[in-house]
Amino acid sequence: TVYNRPGRLPRGTQFSPEMLEAMIDQLDRLIAKYNSSDWETKLTAIRLVELLAEHRDKIKDELEAIKADNRELSDTDILGPEERKRRMELKRQQGTSAGDSGFSKEALGQTNETKSEYFMTIERDMEKRRKEQEKKDALALKSLEEKLLKEAGFVD
């Protein structure tokens, strides 16, 4: 489950409205794709659309709550490029030096490291699974080739 994933993001991490809107756009795109006539007979596609729509609705609710509460995001939250740019400009206007973003090195390091570690762990796991599947496929293909050669009489 999500809760057992290695490198999981720290509890309490929030997404900026910009990031939530990007998620909603992607979910809308996927829902439209798998809700099309090409997929309407596939039970997995129908179920996927249901799950994606449910997830999209939860994200929309979160987005509305953030906008209504006017929540304050921290430097360690997941911010979109526009929000990061806005914050950096605000820090510059408040008198930070040109080479300093105004964010604490601790906060930046934790954020980048935590997020990078999370996605790198997932990528390593996916790569490991892909290689294992390739090995299984290669063994199955070799076995099938040997069987067909025996049946054809080419091998004793």
Side-chain angles (χ1 to χ4, degrees), residues 37 48 80 103 121 123 135 140 151:
S37 59
L48 179 63
F103 298 121
T121 302
E123 191 172 340
K135 286 179 185 178
E151 288 176 2

Side-chain angles (χ1 to χ4, degrees), residues 34-115:
Y34 292 108
N35 212 12
S36 69
S37 59
D38 295 340
W39 296 92
E40 68 186 3
T41 60
K42 307 265 187 205
L43 292 177
T44 50
I46 293 168
R47 180 67 178 135
L48 179 63
V49 168
E50 291 171 0
L51 292 171
L52 292 172
E54 182 180 318
H55 189 59
R56 179 193 57 196
D57 292 343
K58 288 180 181 179
I59 292 173
K60 282 182 176 180
D61 291 344
E62 183 178 348
L63 179 60
E64 288 174 18
I66 287 173
K67 287 181 176 180
D69 293 347
N70 207 10
R71 280 188 210 159
E72 193 65 34
L73 296 168
S74 73
D75 294 344
T76 58
D77 287 331
I78 301 175
L79 310 173
E82 294 301 317
E83 177 66 17
R84 283 193 307 275
K85 192 185 310 180
R86 186 189 69 74
R87 284 174 178 244
M88 290 178 86
E89 184 58 36
L90 184 63
K91 294 288 182 177
R92 280 191 198 102
Q93 289 173 0
Q94 291 174 349
T96 57
S97 66
D100 182 14
S101 68
F103 298 121
S104 71
K105 287 184 172 55
E106 207 174 81
L108 285 174
Q110 178 191 8
T111 301
N112 292 338
E113 208 172 283
T114 303
K115 291 175 191 166

Side-chain angles (χ1 to χ4, degrees), residues 9 11 20 24 48 55 71 73 75 98-99 118 122 124 136 149 151 155:
L9 291 173
R11 191 176 275 267
L20 292 172
I24 292 168
L48 179 63
H55 189 59
R71 280 188 210 159
L73 296 168
D75 294 344
Y118 173 76
I122 290 173
R124 278 193 302 270
K136 286 179 186 177
L149 288 172
E151 288 176 2
V155 178

